[in-house]
Amino acid sequence: MATSKDVDAEFLGLPLTALADAALTAATAAGAEHADLRVHRLVTQSIRLRDGRVEAITDSTELGFAVRVIVDGTWGFASHAALTPDVAAEVARTAVTVATTLRALNRERVELAAEPRYAGVRWVSDYDIDPFTVPTGEKVALLQDYSERLSHADGVDHVTAGLLQVKEQTFYADTAGSSIIQQRVRLHPSLEAITVDSAAGVFETMRTLAAPAGRGWEYVTGADGIWDWDDELARIPEWLAEKVKAPSVQAGPTDLVIDPTNLWLTIHESIGHATEYDRAIGYESAYAGTSFATPDKLGTLRYGTPIMHVTGDRTEAHGLASVGYDDEGVAGQRWDLVRDGILVGYQLDRAFAPRLGLERSNGCSYADSAHHVPIQRMANVSLQPDPDRDTSTEELISRVDDGIYIVGDKSWSIDMQRYNFQFTGQRFFRIRGGKLDGQLRDVAYQATTTDFWGAMEAVGGPSTWRLGGAFNCGKAQPGQVASVSHGCPSILVRGIDVLNTRTEAGQ
C-alpha cells in the first residue's frame, strides 16, 4: 500500500531523533518500565462555497509531541508544543510523575502485548497528487465549475460545495527500539443541490455520494477514474426533481436492497462501534454507550446469517483508518470480527489484547492530537462480498417483488448499546416485479442489530463492493475525532420495518 513518495521534508527536518533520545532516556532514568514518544503534525484545509461563491477557506496546522509511560503498571502522560530536547526530557519526567501519582488509584496493572521492533521505517499512504501542493485558487475554480453545473439546472435553487483535506504526519519511538515515521493524506469533496418550495415552506436536497477517502487531488478531479463526477452532477437535478414529486412511502415490513453508499453507515454504527473492545467492557459507558456484543458472547453470538463475514482492517488501500503502524507501534493488520455470522473478534490495542488472552494487538490505537492520549479506535470495518459469485445489484433487485432500493446516507439514530437503530438515506427507489419503478419519499428503516443482519439473504459480489466512510467518528472524554472507512457490497434483506418519517413526525 505504501507508495514511492516520501514524507515531507518539513516534517523530516524536525529534531525527531533528538526528541526521542531525550524523552526516552529521561523517562527510563525516572523509573519508567515502558516509554514512548509521539510527534504529531496535523495540517488541514477546509473550503466552503455557496452558490458558487466562497463562504470560507480555513487553513490550520497543529504540531506537538507527547510522552507516554508505564510506571509500576500505571499509565502516565504529558505533552507539549515546544519541540526541543530539554522540553522533551522535562515532559517525560512529568509523565512519570503523573503515573506515580495515579498509582494509588490504579486497580489493574497495565500489561502491554508484545510487538516486534520496527527501527527506522517510513510509511506513506497511497495517493498520486498531494492536495496541499495544488493552489487554492485551482481548488476553488473546480468547485465553482461543479457548482455551476448544478445551479444551471431547472429546479435547483441553491448549491453548496465543500472540500476538506487533511495531511497527518507522525513520528513514533519507544524504549523497545522502534522508530517509525508516517504520512497519510485524506480528503472529502461534496456538493449538494437544494430546491425550495416557498409557498409550502419546505425544501429538499440531493448530495453527491463520493465518499471521503485516503486519496489525493486526482480523486476530486476524477482523473483516477474512481468517481464519475460528470455523470453524477448531470443526474442529480433529475433525481432531485423526481424526489420532490415522489409519493410518500407506505410503512410496514419491507424487502430492501441497500446500496454500499447507504450500508456503510449501518455497518459503522451496528458493527464497528459494537466490536470495539473498550466499549464492550464498559469503558465508553459514560459518554457514547456500551455494546450488546459483550466478551462473554465471543464465539457464540449469532450476529447475522451465515453469509455474513466482517473484517477489521488497518491495511485497506485508501481506507481512512489505514496506517502502516498504529500509535503504539503495532503494524497494520486484517482480521475477522464476524465470520459465518458469528462474533469472533474485537478491535484492540496493546493493553486490551492480553485481557482476551491474545499475544498481540491488532493495531487499533490512535490519538487525534499530540495532546490527547492514544485510545482504542476503529479500524476499517468492512462486510465482505460474495466470494463465489459476482452477484450484481441489479440481480439483487430482480429477486424482490415489492420493496425499496436505498442509495446514499443521510441521518441515523442508534441506542447506547448499538442494538436498536434507525437509518434514512438520500434516494429511495420503489421495486416492483424485480425492477425499479420511480422514487419514494419519507423513508427510514428500523431494526435491532441482530434482527437486521439476521434478515440478510444475499450479498453482492466484488463488483458491487466499495468504500464509504466518515471524517468525524467521535469518542472518548475529552472528545477525540477519527476518520474511518467501511467497505461493503450491496445486500438484500427481507422484511425490515420501514417507517414513514413524515407520519412519525406528526405531519
Side-chain angles (χ1 to χ4, degrees):
M1 177 177 171
T3 70
S4 59
K5 291 181 174 62
D6 201 357
V7 179
D8 290 354
E10 184 177 359
F11 187 74
L12 295 176
L14 297 174
L16 304 175
T17 301
L19 292 171
D21 289 345
L24 300 181
T25 298
T28 301
E33 58 239 39
H34 165 87
D36 57 58
L37 170 133
R38 175 175 48 89
V39 179
H40 192 149
R41 183 172 184 256
L42 196 69
V43 184
T44 304
Q45 183 181 66
S46 173
I47 301 173
R48 297 198 312 272
L49 279 69
R50 180 175 176 83
D51 296 331
R53 297 180 179 179
V54 175
E55 273 196 330
I57 299 177
T58 305
D59 292 278
S60 65
T61 299
E62 181 185 289
L63 175 63
F65 75 93
V67 178
R68 196 177 61 154
V69 301
I70 299 175
V71 179
D72 195 19
T74 303
W75 283 120
F77 176 87
S79 67
H80 208 282
L83 274 60
T84 69
D86 287 346
V87 172
E90 185 59 34
V91 168
R93 288 187 284 268
T94 299
V96 170
T97 300
V98 170
T100 303
T101 303
L102 293 176
R103 178 65 187 91
L105 302 176
N106 188 15
R107 299 180 180 179
E108 186 171 0
R109 183 179 179 86
V110 175
E111 300 288 348
L112 298 184
E115 181 67 16
R117 173 177 173 267
Y118 308 100
V121 298
R122 293 185 190 176
W123 181 91
V124 180
S125 64
D126 192 0
Y127 59 91
D128 293 332
I129 302 172
D130 181 346
F132 289 92
T133 65
V134 178
T136 298
E138 185 176 331
K139 300 171 192 173
V140 170
L142 182 63
L143 293 177
Q144 287 175 328
D145 174 51
Y146 287 172
S147 296
E148 288 174 5
R149 299 190 203 182
L150 291 175
S151 63
H152 288 165
D154 291 340
V156 175
D157 295 299
H158 299 287
V159 176
T160 62
L163 174 64
L164 178 60
Q165 58 187 40
V166 178
K167 180 186 291 183
E168 189 170 25
Q169 298 159 326
T170 58
F171 168 68
Y172 172 89
D174 62 27
T175 47
S178 285
S179 56
I180 301 163
I181 297 175
Q182 300 187 94
Q183 175 171 295
R184 53 182 177 150
V185 167
R186 54 188 181 266
L187 46 71
H188 186 198
S190 64
L191 290 99
E192 186 171 61
I194 305 165
T195 184
V196 180
D197 184 339
S198 300
V202 297
F203 67 94
E204 190 56 82
T205 65
M206 190 72 68
R207 176 170 45 82
T208 53
L209 301 182
R215 297 183 181 273
W217 178 244
E218 66 279 358
Y219 182 52
V220 188
T221 64
D224 58 2
I226 299 301
W227 199 257
D228 192 339
W229 292 97
D230 292 338
D231 179 70
E232 185 177 33
L233 293 172
R235 300 191 67 184
I236 279 179
E238 64 182 70
W239 282 325
L240 181 57
E242 182 183 7
K243 185 176 181 180
V244 169
K245 299 175 182 178
S248 194
V249 70
Q250 182 70 40
T254 307
D255 296 341
L256 305 177
V257 175
I258 304 179
D259 193 80
T261 55
N262 180 271
L263 187 63
W264 75 266
L265 185 54
T266 307
I267 291 170
H268 177 87
E269 298 293 350
S270 69
I271 306 174
H273 278 305
T275 58
E276 292 177 307
Y277 186 73
D278 60 346
R279 179 185 299 277
I281 61 174
Y283 271 48
E284 281 288 287
S285 58
Y287 173 52
T290 55
S291 171
F292 77 97
T294 49
D296 59 300
K297 300 172 183 174
L298 188 64
T300 61
L301 173 66
R302 176 152 292 283
Y303 223 104
T305 56
I307 61 173
M308 184 182 187
H309 180 202
V310 179
T311 58
D313 195 342
R314 297 282 272 173
T315 66
E316 178 66 48
H318 309 294
L320 294 172
S322 296
V323 291
Y325 307 84
D326 77 349
D327 282 355
E328 293 182 324
V330 178
Q333 303 158 49
R334 171 175 165 159
W335 68 99
D336 287 344
L337 294 168
V338 178
R339 186 174 58 245
D340 300 327
I342 303 297
L343 174 69
V344 296
Y346 288 101
Q347 303 164 72
L348 302 158
D349 62 17
R350 291 180 68 180
F352 286 134
R355 294 185 178 213
L356 281 178
L358 300 177
E359 295 182 356
R360 189 184 181 203
S361 161
N362 48 39
C364 289
S365 178
Y366 173 73
D368 67 356
S369 163
H371 308 298
H372 286 159
V373 178
I375 58 173
Q376 184 263 296
R377 293 309 306 261
M378 199 182 298
N380 302 305
V381 174
S382 299
L383 175 68
Q384 297 307 305
D386 187 337
D388 300 319
R389 188 169 182 275
D390 195 10
T391 305
S392 67
T393 302
E394 291 73 21
E395 184 174 341
L396 296 178
I397 291 171
S398 73
R399 299 184 191 182
V400 178
D401 184 59
D402 186 8
I404 301 173
Y405 173 46
I406 301 177
V407 180
D409 66 272
K410 199 167 186 181
S411 65
W412 71 97
S413 175
I414 191 163
D415 72 4
M416 299 292 278
Q417 288 194 309
R418 305 290 148 172
Y419 193 62
N420 294 281
F421 63 69
Q422 175 180 311
F423 292 87
T424 60
Q426 285 281 325
R427 302 190 285 273
F428 310 95
F429 296 91
R430 176 183 293 171
I431 304 173
R432 284 181 173 173
K435 296 182 180 180
L436 299 184
D437 185 27
Q439 288 191 58
L440 295 167
R441 295 186 65 181
D442 311 319
V443 179
Y445 61 94
Q446 183 182 57
T448 67
T449 294
T450 50
D451 283 348
F452 177 83
W453 296 107
M456 185 168 65
E457 180 180 291
V459 296
S463 64
T464 74
W465 194 93
R466 70 173 53 163
L467 282 174
F471 268 35
N472 59 342
C473 177
K475 188 175 180 181
Q477 292 175 301
Q480 296 195 37
V481 175
S483 299
V484 61
S485 293
H486 302 285
C488 55
S490 298
I491 68 167
L492 167 60
V493 286
R494 300 284 190 183
I496 301 299
D497 283 339
V498 164
L499 306 178
N500 184 303
T501 58
R502 185 177 296 272
T503 302
E504 292 288 325
Q507 298 177 355

